[in-house]
Structure formats: structure tokens, C-alpha cells
Amino acid sequence: MSAPIRISAQKGELAGCEADVGIVYRFRGDEDVCGPLGAPLAKRLSGVARADHFDGDAGRTLLWHAPGREGERCGRYLILGLGPRNELTLDRYRHYIGEACIQADRLGAASVAIPLLEAGAAPLGSREAGVALAEGVLLGTYRFERYRSQPEAGRRHLRSVTVAAGSVALREVESAIGLGEVCASATNFARDLVNEPAGVMTPERMAAIARDVGAETRIAVRVIEPDELRSMGMGGILGVGQGSRNPPRLIQLNYAPDEGARKKVAFLGKGLTFDSGGLSLKSAEGMETMKCDMAGSAAVLGAMRALPELNPPVEVVGLMGMAENMPDGGAIRPGDVLKIMNGKTVEVRNTDAEGRLVLADLLSYAGSMDGVESMIDLATLTGACMVALGPLASGVMGNDQVLVDDILRAADRAGEKMWPLPLYREYREHLKSEIADVKNTAIRYGGAITAGLFLQEFVRPGLPWAHIDIAGPSFGDKDYSYIRRGASGAGVRTLIHYSLNIE
């Protein structure tokens, strides 16, 4: 994991901040750079931009080595283009800040100073800008280097960021930065979990980490072992895990606010610590990144870890279904029938469609709890969702449009790409089994939707439920702006913003 970066706010203008690199803004179409810089510095940097024909195109940068005259307390200044003023969005700003900090880090800067985008100078509120700035810094500079034997020789990394607050009240800026830090820290925590090798991050290890989170926060943690899973009738998670030497676990986390909760919701995460496909074995290439198949559970644990600090007015139950899908002599076979906690039976047609079997038990369990008013599951569930939406977006579907819309609004606030998918009842026909209540695979086409319809079989009638398929954005093999290759922490910030804005 990256070493922590300290973000602090300072009264006044950027000219009063000392750092290795100062970052300033220019909108395309504006004559001058903008933000609380101080008049002499703003005039000098505006002249530099014009002399180099730097127009402020979105995401472009111009590096200027300061000669060290009075008013230039940073050794270098990075002029960051924000594009046309009327096209700047919160997510674009977050991306641009992240990319600029990555560039500063590559330049060997240990410290950076950035002016706050003040309301009125940009189409964003100062608080929104402060949250996005902190997220862009911390998400963009994340690194997972635990298994490198040697650091890069002579390499310095970014350690501190100072935000020039301008005329905005320092307390307001510090509060915004604090929220951004909590959201980004929770996301990076989930990234760490997913980036760990599967041989380390077993179901038992995830349970130990969850207990540590409980000890550090006021979250109650319960780990349900295989014998108790058996007595509860959880045939799905037990069936998936029976081919592994690492037995499955169900991890339950409970958060309650300081005062009365407006609502009680459940967050459910698929936690396949490694997915070989079971006897329906994946190809060697298909297994290369299957340590990421527990990204749904990592998102739930990351979000739950953040809730006590933010104290949203909602009671949350987090459920993580942890198992390893391996192909030994005791593994489930195609044609086997499993009985889920709610009593329904499933014919296993393909052992590589295992995540839905784990979620079936989680959905049944959450639906049996007193007071749960809605539930959201997250899972790296289908390649079909990646085919439909590509590697950046999650698919959202459910039985309650209000809940789906709330999730999409939360995702928009968080800067996570999500898109609604339907649950066409007609496709339910393709899940019918000749020997059981339902089978775990359907036709080739519409696989994300039929997987959602399968999950719906285990939702208590009348209980609002939504499913987020994070198969695309959870783990990448290339850099997308401030989200680097590897684990992204998909879903964490959406769950946090959903919790903060629940009605």
C-alpha cells in the first residue's frame, strides 16, 4: 500500500505555500490562470501560459521551473488545463487532479501545493471541489508495493499536499478534505485487499481482517464457520467451497449510528478469494486475475470501515460470503443439486457460475433478518456485463426502481460509472431446471440479466433489492486516469454516498 499522504488546508493564497511543485488551473478560453494564487504569481503564470501557447485543454499540463524570485515559493509550477469552464464536472476535476498528482509524483516531488477551486470561479461548489481534490490526490497516488524486494533507487514519492483555501472558511475546507480522505482511504483499503495474492487472502484471512476492523471501529463482527453454515442450511456457499482446503466463511458486520437510524439496509458482497472455475475449469489466462473475484466483499468491508467515522443516520448490516472455488476430488460437479438457505434447490450446470450460489445464501439470510428494509449486493458476477458496458462501468438492476435510482445518484456523486440494466421476466424461462427449482446458468445471450434474475429467486417477496455487477471496473490491466491498473475499489464510494444520503 502507498505510504499515507498528509493533506492540509492553509489560509490565504497559493503564493504563501511552500512546496516542491505548485499546481494551478487554466480554463480553456480564459485569458489568465485562476484560483487564489496572489496577483503577482497569477500574472507571472498567466504570462508563462500565453508564451507557451498553453490554452488550458482538458487534462493537459505545462511545467514551469520557477527562477526563485519573490512570490515563487514552489520550485516548479504545473499549470493544469481544465477545459472549457462550462464543461467541467466534479468527476473530471477529480480525474485531472489525480493525473496532475501522478505527474508530480513522477517528477520526484515530495510536496505539492494546490489552490482550492472557489465557488463562482468554477461550476463547482467549494465543498464539492474540496472532497474531489482529496479523492483525486489519494486515489491517483495509490501504489501496491508490498511484494517488491527493493524500492526504486533514489525515488522520492509524494508525501504532503497543501490546499490554499483562499477566501473560503478554513473549517469548511478541512471538513471537505476530511470527507474525501475517508472515502479515498476506504477505497484504497479495498484495493489492498483485492491486490493481495489469493494464497494470502483466504476466507480465513478475510475473517481475521474483518475482526481487526471491528476492533478498530465500533462495528460488531461475527464470523460464521462451516459447521454453523451447515446448520443454517447454506448449501450454496458450502457447495462452492467444498473443493478447497480453505473452508468458507460468512462474515457479518453491524453498524448503528449514534442516534436513531432512519432505516436498516444490508450490503452484500461476493467473496470468492480465488475462482479456478471448479471442475468447469477456466483457461490459464482466465485464471490470471481471479484473485479479484472477492472485490464485492472488499467493497462491503471498505465501506463498512468508513461508516463509524462518518456516522450516517442508517443502520447497516454487511455480509461477506467468502469461499474459494477449487477443483479437487470433493468439488461440486455439473449436475449436482444444492439447497439454498431459503429452501429453494439449484441444479449446478456450470461450476464456474459459482458467485450467484454464494449470493443466493446471502440474499436469503439478509431477507430473514428483522428490520432489513432494503438490500444491495455487489459482485464480480458476469463477463456478460463487461461485454455490455466495457471495463469502466458497473451494471445495476433490481426489483425496486426507487432503490436503483438512489444507487445511480450515489454513484454519480462518487464519480463511479454505473448504468441500469433491465430484469425482463421473459428471460426467467431460461433458468428452469428439469430436476430442481432453478439452474445456475441460462442461454448465452443476456447473461448479466439472467444472472440477476437468478439472484431475484432468493430475494424475499416485497423486499427492495438491487444488484451491482462490478465485473468490469473491479480490476484492470491498464491505467484509466487516476485509477491505476489492478484493483480499483469499485463500489466503495457509491455505498458510502448512498449511506450518507439515505432518506
Side-chain angles (χ1 to χ4, degrees):
M1 183 179 178
S2 310
I5 295 176
R6 183 176 59 85
I7 306 177
S8 60
Q10 181 173 309
K11 288 183 179 180
E13 300 163 329
L14 186 70
C17 300
E18 187 170 347
D20 294 331
V21 172
I23 297 175
V24 302
Y25 313 115
R26 187 176 190 186
F27 284 103
R28 182 172 177 81
D30 284 8
E31 283 293 316
D32 300 315
V33 296
C34 68
L37 308 183
L41 181 61
K43 182 178 180 181
R44 193 167 300 129
L45 292 174
S46 296
V48 168
R50 284 193 293 271
D52 277 82
H53 306 288
F54 181 78
D55 296 327
D57 288 341
R60 298 290 299 275
T61 58
L62 172 65
L63 181 66
W64 181 61
H65 291 259
R69 294 179 296 198
E70 186 178 351
E72 296 164 1
R73 300 186 67 187
C74 298
R76 289 165 289 184
Y77 288 90
L78 193 69
I79 305 175
L80 172 62
L82 298 180
R85 187 181 294 268
N86 62 353
E87 293 182 10
L88 182 67
T89 65
L90 197 61
D91 193 42
R92 288 177 181 176
Y93 178 62
R94 187 185 292 111
H95 278 249
Y96 301 152
I97 287 292
E99 290 166 351
C101 285
I102 291 168
Q103 186 173 343
D105 183 75
R106 286 174 179 160
L107 290 168
S111 58
V112 159
I114 310 176
L116 181 73
L117 265 181
E118 296 175 302
L124 310 175
S126 297
R127 178 172 175 78
E128 294 174 309
V131 174
L133 188 153
E135 290 176 339
V137 169
L138 297 174
L139 296 175
T141 56
Y142 169 86
R143 300 181 309 280
F144 186 78
E145 298 179 333
R146 184 169 297 158
Y147 296 97
R148 291 188 182 275
S149 58
Q150 296 290 335
E152 293 182 59
R155 181 78 157 84
R156 292 201 310 168
H157 283 295
L158 188 59
R159 291 289 178 264
S160 67
V161 172
T162 302
V163 180
S167 62
V168 181
L170 197 59
R171 182 177 296 180
E172 180 182 340
V173 180
E174 290 171 338
S175 172
I177 290 172
L179 175 57
E181 286 180 315
V182 171
C183 291
S185 176
T187 303
N188 286 342
F189 173 75
R191 293 165 90 175
D192 275 349
L193 297 177
V194 178
N195 279 327
E196 282 284 353
V200 174
M201 196 56 65
T202 61
E204 184 179 14
R205 177 63 184 144
M206 279 291 283
I209 292 171
R211 287 190 177 104
D212 289 342
V213 169
E216 295 165 3
T217 63
R218 53 187 175 83
I219 290 176
V221 179
R222 176 190 177 199
V223 177
I224 303 176
E225 307 281 345
D227 286 346
E228 190 175 358
L229 292 173
R230 206 164 285 112
S231 68
M232 295 170 71
M234 293 200 172
I237 188 171
L238 287 167
V240 170
Q242 72 186 41
S244 171
R245 295 181 182 178
N246 296 303
R249 303 282 195 281
L250 194 159
I251 303 168
Q252 179 177 335
L253 309 104
N254 290 82
Y255 158 80
D258 291 336
E259 299 180 0
R262 295 178 187 169
K263 195 173 182 180
K264 184 176 181 178
V265 301
F267 296 158
L268 288 58
K270 171 187 170 183
L272 268 293
T273 57
F274 188 75
D275 180 19
S276 69
L279 293 179
S280 304
L281 195 67
K282 295 178 182 288
S283 66
E285 183 181 1
M287 277 189 257
E288 284 180 1
T289 60
M290 279 300 101
K291 66 180 185 180
C292 80
D293 216 19
M294 40 69 74
S297 64
V300 169
L301 186 55
M304 295 293 294
R305 182 174 179 255
L307 296 185
E309 190 166 355
L310 299 173
N311 196 36
V314 58
E315 186 177 349
V316 183
V317 178
L319 297 178
M320 301 157 56
M322 310 308 304
E324 188 177 53
N325 188 22
M326 299 293 277
D328 84 352
I332 53 172
R333 296 159 288 265
D336 283 354
V337 174
L338 303 178
K339 189 174 183 179
I340 306 302
M341 185 186 177
N342 72 345
K344 287 191 176 183
T345 56
V346 179
E347 178 190 1
V348 179
R349 296 294 292 270
N350 187 322
T351 65
D352 195 23
E354 83 301 324
R356 63 198 71 184
L357 301 174
V358 172
L359 286 175
D361 274 331
L362 297 190
L363 291 164
S364 300
Y365 182 42
S368 72
M369 292 180 176
D370 290 338
V372 170
E373 298 171 68
S374 62
M375 53 187 182
I376 301 168
D377 76 74
L378 297 90
T380 48
L381 204 64
T382 67
C385 196
M386 295 179 67
V387 172
L389 299 177
L392 288 180
S394 300
V396 185
M397 58 201 88
N399 64 2
D400 185 272
Q401 192 58 49
V402 172
L403 178 58
V404 169
D405 289 343
D406 285 345
I407 291 169
L408 293 172
R409 277 192 292 271
D412 187 58
R413 292 188 195 100
E416 296 196 278
K417 291 178 171 56
M418 295 192 182
W419 195 255
L421 294 174
L423 286 174
Y424 293 133
R425 293 175 58 188
E426 293 86 347
Y427 293 178
R428 170 64 177 74
E429 292 293 314
H430 300 296
L431 292 169
K432 287 184 176 179
S433 167
E434 296 294 326
I435 63 170
D437 296 326
V438 68
K439 60 185 180 181
N440 75 328
T441 58
I443 59 172
R444 176 183 177 186
Y445 304 105
I449 297 171
T450 54
L453 288 166
F454 176 90
L455 296 179
Q456 192 172 16
E457 293 290 314
F458 306 93
V459 176
R460 191 185 76 212
L463 180 62
W465 153 77
H467 161 59
I468 307 176
D469 192 330
I470 60 172
S474 65
F475 198 90
D477 59 2
K478 75 181 295 292
D479 297 338
Y480 283 102
S481 186
Y482 64 84
I483 298 298
R484 319 304 289 164
R485 67 189 66 195
S488 69
V492 173
R493 287 177 290 149
T494 294
L495 291 181
I496 292 173
H497 280 274
Y498 172 80
S499 303
L500 290 173
N501 292 279
I502 202 164
E503 296 180 354

